[in-house]
Amino acid sequence: MGYTLPGIGRQVPEDRRRTGRIKSEMEGRLEKMKRYGMVVFCVLALFLAGAAAAAPIPVPTGFALENGRVTRGGTALECEVHQVPDGIENGIALWCVVGSETSEAVQKEETGVFFFGPDGRSVAFIPLDARGEYQDLVWSPDGGRLVLVTGGARPDMFFTLFTVDGKGMEKGPGFPGLRGGLAWVDPHRFAFTRIDDVRDTKSGAFQGVALWLSAVLYDAAVGMETVLKAADGTRSYVLQSVSDDGSTLNLTELSVASPKDWGDTEKIQEREVTVEVPAAG
């Protein structure tokens, strides 16, 4: 049997083995606690990041709609005022795009899309890097969401989903798409022409036919994309419209006999096709 020598802390082999087991168990527990703590930290960090990403975008102060014109601190701004489509009741009546490039009264960080309530107060805001990048804004049928279209003179655009919140706009996901190729199917889903890649056409010119184009449906309620018609080496699909009842999509199929023919527009064939919209959920 092991024992401790009187007067000193020296241990014999059995106590050493017992102490070793205890030390090993403690180290194992500490390691588990560390791992658990790291998991909790990561989950908390993701939660906070998600909460921050979903937080409504702050609205710059000093902007209002007075007598049909947008003002900042009483100074009228040069911008076109748009009405929200009929039938939409989401607390927003009008909106416009303002920029520091066209008015000294606007700061660079205030460049963007302003939304105004029926009483003329600014109720929501979407920031832009420059006024000129705005191309279009497409409301969902119920006004609960919208897609902001940004880009330049080229046919490739960028679609960003926003949710209309009682305290402002919440930014959602973004997608590379083709100019004009977007339409809402119902309050939660929209179809669009997605740019998947750029084709090697051996020419320096940038053209819409030089892109891999697929017809895609996005469901904002579940955050899921569904490819309805996928581009391949010899075919691309461009969204044209949605049927009145939202059950089908009208597409244009672009095709060539060989992938090397995309650089010659005379070799590109077109035909109209329809695709059924899958049930929601």
Side-chain angles (χ1 to χ4, degrees), residues 26 39 42 53 59 126 154 157 160 163 189 215 255 267-268:
M26 289 300 295
V39 170
C42 291
V59 182
I126 297 176
R154 300 193 329 181
M157 297 284 110
T160 306
T163 299
R189 300 182 297 168
S255 64
K267 293 183 178 181
I268 300 175

Side-chain angles (χ1 to χ4, degrees), residues 11 38 54 79 83 105 107 114 136 142 176 180 182 189 275-276:
Q11 297 172 316
M38 183 58 69
C79 67
Q83 288 187 338
Q107 303 297 315
F114 279 84
D136 199 3
D142 66 347
L182 185 146
R189 300 182 297 168
V275 179
E276 289 188 4

Side-chain angles (χ1 to χ4, degrees), residues 10-11 33 47 76 82 88 91 97 102 139 155 163 174 186 211 229 249:
R10 185 179 177 185
Q11 297 172 316
M33 291 175 68
F47 171 78
H82 305 270
I88 290 179
V97 184
T102 57
W139 292 94
T163 299
D186 55 41
L211 302 170
K229 277 290 187 179
L249 303 182

Side-chain angles (χ1 to χ4, degrees), residues 46-77:
L46 289 171
F47 171 78
L48 293 175
I57 301 170
V59 182
T61 59
F63 291 84
L65 188 68
E66 302 175 5
N67 299 320
R69 300 199 63 180
V70 177
T71 64
R72 187 189 189 283
T75 301
L77 306 178

Side-chain angles (χ1 to χ4, degrees), residues 64-66 91 93-94 116-123:
L65 188 68
E66 302 175 5
L94 304 144
F116 301 92
D119 58 357
R121 293 187 305 108
S122 57
V123 295

